[in-house]
Amino acid sequence: MNQPKRYLDIVLDIRKMISQENIRPGDRIPSERELAETLNVGRSTIREALRSLELLGLIETRRGEGTFLSDHRNHRLVEVLSTFILQDDQSQKDVWETRMIHEISAILTVCGDAVSSQLPVWSGFSKRINERDFFPREDFVKEIMVLSGNRLSLKIWLLLAQYSGNPYKGHILLEETEMLENILAAIRRQDAEKAASGLKIWIAWLQKETGKDDDDS
């Protein structure tokens, strides 16, 4: 009965070690032997923990070089969720709603900050939209997430965007320019309620368009 708990403890210990030693994506992590000695457990237990982390794509083993920490944005958990978990409509709806919670929180934070809401980037976005520049949707939302200053929320958002099939892929179309302009104007006025409401309207439009694309395919 204690084995499952001990196994999870090892995974948590490895994660804690990675954090304490400031190991970054692309950096080598301690070897199986080193981990076993440091954590005072058998190598077979370490091996199982590492195997699970590798299956999720959180670490990668390079023959003759060692084991390295992967970029969290590339790990296979996205593929696992997409293939086995997110096939039913309710799960996909939950992901959309969870992602939107982070986006709404971010835009409220930006509107509440006198500096972030007045940055030149918002006027620059507006100019690009009016000039019909090929303006990627993702650039707009990502800027909101970044300027909110919440790095954890940004990481979660990046993963959730992948889970929901990246709803912001592609460029802003003529039909959505007015919606984007309304959001940008509200941000510059620091009108958090209007900005959040405008973002919800745009997201609902995108969700509807995504559904149309799925029906066509």
Side-chain angles (χ1 to χ4, degrees), residues 40-203:
N40 195 30
V41 294
R43 291 183 64 170
S44 60
T45 305
I46 293 292
R47 192 175 299 117
E48 288 300 316
L50 292 177
R51 183 178 294 121
S52 295
L53 293 174
E54 186 168 17
L55 284 172
L56 290 175
L58 297 171
I59 60 174
E60 58 177 320
T61 301
R62 303 173 192 168
R63 188 180 299 275
E65 296 183 48
T67 303
F68 298 80
L69 186 64
S70 300
D71 188 328
H72 73 278
R73 292 169 297 184
N74 297 328
H75 64 64
R76 295 174 194 142
L77 183 55
V78 173
E79 298 174 16
V80 173
L81 286 171
S82 298
T83 304
F84 295 104
I85 301 177
L86 300 178
Q87 293 304 309
D88 63 280
D89 293 339
Q90 184 58 48
S91 294
Q92 294 180 20
K93 180 182 177 183
D94 290 344
V95 172
W96 271 85
E97 291 180 351
T98 304
R99 198 198 67 249
M100 189 168 68
I101 288 172
H102 288 272
E103 293 164 353
I104 296 299
S105 176
I107 203 169
L108 292 176
T109 299
V110 169
C111 288
D113 183 81
V115 175
S116 297
S117 61
Q118 303 306 314
L119 289 173
V121 65
W122 308 122
S123 298
F125 281 166
S126 182
K127 182 179 179 181
R128 290 176 65 185
I129 291 172
N130 286 324
E131 292 179 352
R132 300 299 302 136
D133 185 14
F134 288 105
F135 181 18
R137 296 184 183 109
E138 190 173 15
D139 285 3
F140 173 67
V141 186
K142 187 180 292 184
E143 194 68 45
I144 294 173
M145 297 304 303
V146 170
L147 290 177
S148 72
N150 190 324
R151 290 185 296 176
L152 176 59
S153 183
L154 174 62
K155 289 181 179 180
I156 294 172
W157 178 83
L158 288 168
L159 291 174
L160 289 172
Q162 292 183 67
Y163 297 159
S164 50
N166 188 8
Y168 302 114
K169 64 184 177 182
H171 300 94
I172 292 171
L173 304 175
L174 181 62
E175 304 95 288
E176 55 195 303
T177 54
E178 184 177 353
M179 289 181 277
L180 268 294
E181 281 287 12
N182 290 337
I183 298 170
L184 288 166
I187 290 175
R188 293 194 293 267
R189 294 196 310 269
Q190 289 189 265
D191 189 337
E193 184 177 345
K194 287 286 186 182
S197 174
L199 186 61
K200 290 178 182 178
I201 291 172
W202 182 50
I203 290 172

Side-chain angles (χ1 to χ4, degrees), residues 16 184 210:
K16 184 177 180 181
L184 288 166
T210 302

